[in-house]
Amino acid sequence: MRSSTPIFLTSAITLLLLGITALGTVDWDVSRALLNPTSAFGQFFNDYGEVPAAAGLFLAAWLLIASRDGLQPTAHRLTFVLGLPLLGLAVWLILYIPFHYAYEFDATGMPATYRRQLPLIAAALWLTAVFCACRINSEKLRPYRRSALTVIALITLEVIVVNLTKYVWGRPRMRAISSFEQFHYWYQIAGPASSGDFRSFPSGHTANGFATIGLSLLIPANKKRAIRTAMALAIIWGCCVALSRVIVGAHFLSDVVAGGYITLLLFFLLKRRLY
């Protein structure tokens, strides 16, 4: 398959879906039909959907530090300047994300015990990871350095693009409105967004869910079957996260389509440069 084919197919499917959701009340009707805030499926993928992407960031940052030997002094220092905070951020996100969404709408918020313990656990795990990265023989890990940087670039870029678009678009979330008269089509720009309830388009959760596909870049290039399997599982995971965000009322169908597309487009563009 030519390197441009996945980009073309992904773009064509996305344009088709966005075109359909722009017709009449399709986006509103389908999204409202899927709405079920008490769904166990919706709650699970809502709470844990972004964790694999955070785990991917953790692994990429760890590989970046562990493969530092043999670099020029400046590059060696930059590795620690970039890798250490990213590793800490990834550890924190892995621990924090499930608790944050589990208590997002709880009147009392996250229990004080968790708020005190999570930073301590994160610090301990971060120190352990740094120690292991510094002690390991990095010679065998050097081939993964470029892939690790690509994973970091993928997650960083999709977060920036999605959040800037959210702010500019200012689309109200499904849970923030009660009737079709308040509904905004995905192509209507109403920003800047005044609050989180007006940052519906595109879905950041979905973009992060699909960012799990970046883990496939860390598999050796000669293991084609493993790469295809990892990509397929990542797309399934991303679709489940996308569906969950509509189910819990956080997004419309068009929001999750756009969120997934942003990550997949960036992934295929970065992969083409990598290989």
Side-chain angles (χ1 to χ4, degrees):
M1 185 179 287
R2 294 177 58 185
S3 59
S4 59
T5 303
I7 296 175
F8 173 78
L9 288 176
T10 304
S11 300
I13 293 171
T14 300
L15 286 173
L16 175 62
L17 291 174
L18 289 178
I20 292 173
T21 58
L23 299 173
T25 61
V26 172
D27 201 4
W28 170 265
D29 290 339
V30 173
S31 300
R32 296 292 293 186
L34 291 171
L35 181 63
N36 182 12
T38 61
S39 164
F41 172 90
Q43 288 298 328
F44 175 82
F45 283 99
N46 180 68
D47 295 351
Y48 294 94
E50 296 177 300
V51 172
L57 181 62
F58 171 85
L59 183 56
W62 189 87
L63 285 170
L64 194 65
I65 298 170
S67 62
R68 71 201 177 281
D69 288 349
L71 297 174
Q72 295 295 326
T74 301
H76 193 278
R77 287 192 294 271
L78 285 174
T79 292
F80 280 100
V81 170
L82 176 64
L84 291 177
L86 281 178
L87 192 65
L89 174 63
V91 170
W92 174 250
L93 290 174
I94 292 170
L95 294 173
Y96 177 75
I97 285 172
F99 288 97
H100 168 72
Y101 286 109
Y103 294 97
E104 185 178 11
F105 299 109
D106 192 297
T108 58
M110 188 186 302
T113 302
Y114 294 156
R115 290 200 300 269
R116 289 194 299 268
Q117 292 180 350
L118 284 179
L120 297 176
I121 296 171
L125 291 175
W126 178 73
L127 288 172
T128 302
V130 172
F131 175 79
C132 293
C134 291
R135 295 284 294 178
I136 200 167
N137 180 2
S138 65
E139 190 68 30
K140 294 181 179 180
L141 297 177
R142 198 170 300 162
Y144 298 98
R145 185 175 180 83
R146 190 177 178 189
S147 296
L149 285 168
T150 305
V151 173
I152 292 170
L154 170 64
I155 295 173
T156 302
L157 287 172
E158 60 95 351
V159 168
I160 291 173
V161 171
V162 165
N163 281 283
L164 283 176
T165 307
K166 280 176 175 289
Y167 179 75
V168 172
W169 240 254
R171 188 188 195 189
R173 294 181 184 272
M174 178 160 52
R175 65 186 177 214
I177 61 178
S178 57
S179 66
F180 182 72
E181 287 68 29
Q182 299 169 300
F183 172 79
H184 286 207
Y185 287 96
W186 64 263
Y187 53 80
Q188 293 177 297
I189 302 176
S194 57
S195 69
D197 281 338
F198 294 87
R199 295 182 180 178
S200 187
F201 184 87
S203 168
H205 235 84
T206 304
N208 289 330
F210 275 96
T212 307
I213 199 170
L215 290 169
S216 66
L217 298 174
L218 301 177
I219 301 173
N222 62 333
K223 297 186 180 297
K224 303 292 186 184
R225 183 181 228 172
I227 292 173
R228 287 194 294 268
T229 300
M231 291 177 65
L233 290 174
I235 290 173
I236 292 171
W237 181 270
C239 289
C240 288
V241 175
L243 182 58
S244 76
R245 294 300 279 169
V246 180
I247 289 174
V248 300
H251 289 285
F252 292 101
L253 180 61
S254 54
D255 298 330
V256 300
V257 169
Y261 174 67
I262 288 171
T263 295
L264 291 177
L265 177 62
L266 288 170
F267 170 76
F268 289 124
L269 289 173
L270 289 169
K271 186 180 180 183
R272 186 162 65 176
R273 291 190 63 85
L274 179 64
Y275 298 113

